[in-house]
Amino acid sequence: MRTLISSAFVSLDGVVEAPGGEEGYRNAGWTFKDVEFLPEAFALKGAEQEQATAMLLGRTSYEAFSAVWPDMADFADYKAMPKYVVSTTLTEDGLVDNWGDTTILRSLDEVAALKETEGGPIIMHGSASLNRALSDAGLIDRYHLLVFPLLLGAGKRLFSTTDKDAQKLKLVEHEAYANGIQKNVFDVVR
């Protein structure tokens, strides 16, 4: 079974919306506007590209990332990697042709089936709505969280507010950086 990893920039109060400056959110760009950049705090991002064998995205994140990541040197390892987009509305015409093989999945059941295939880890970036649905369905195996020392208040959250049984996590890696960012890697305990 493949490991599904959720990777997120998250504020201390759980917001994941518009970390890179996407329009329409009052605190857009909070990862670089409000916190000093330290390369070591982002080393996890390079390691993810080296370790992942596929990428999973929701439609909104796919549309945002596919417009810029294919031509960015920082994300070169993702270019040839197979991508899977979970969407009930995206069509083949909506896929870009310069970012490698991309498959549209229509349901969480199809994500569960993907996890059953041969291969290495699947990384998921952004995709707040998808993250909440996958987490609630018990399909995420690991969380890579870079927690920023900010309280953003309103905004899309990493986790849902669904009333459910507690889900235990095991901290397997952590580090704090001089700029206040904390790396927390959790495995989901089954």
Side-chain angles (χ1 to χ4, degrees), residues 116-131:
E116 295 293 330
T117 63
E118 294 293 320
I122 303 165
I123 191 81
M124 179 177 56
H125 291 285
S127 308
S129 298
L130 179 59
N131 188 90

Side-chain angles (χ1 to χ4, degrees), residues 57-138:
L57 298 163
R59 180 194 50 81
T60 302
S61 292
Y62 173 79
E63 289 172 347
F65 296 158
S66 68
V68 292
W69 281 19
D71 298 321
M72 291 180 70
D74 288 346
F75 302 109
D77 290 339
Y78 286 136
K79 190 162 186 165
M81 190 178 294
K83 287 154 213 67
Y84 299 89
V85 183
V86 182
S87 174
T88 58
T89 59
L90 185 66
T91 63
E92 294 290 328
D93 293 346
L95 299 177
V96 299
D97 59 5
N98 65 335
W99 205 27
D101 291 336
T102 304
T103 303
I104 299 171
L105 304 178
R106 298 293 182 198
S107 68
L108 296 184
D109 288 338
E110 290 186 33
V111 175
L114 172 64
K115 286 185 60 177
E116 295 293 330
T117 63
E118 294 293 320
I122 303 165
I123 191 81
M124 179 177 56
H125 291 285
S127 308
S129 298
L130 179 59
N131 188 90
R132 290 189 296 272
L134 292 170
S135 179
D136 286 351

Side-chain angles (χ1 to χ4, degrees), residues 139-151:
L139 293 173
I140 296 176
D141 302 296
R142 175 173 274 198
Y143 293 95
H144 287 183
L145 306 178
L146 288 180
V147 182
F148 284 70
L150 300 168
L151 299 175

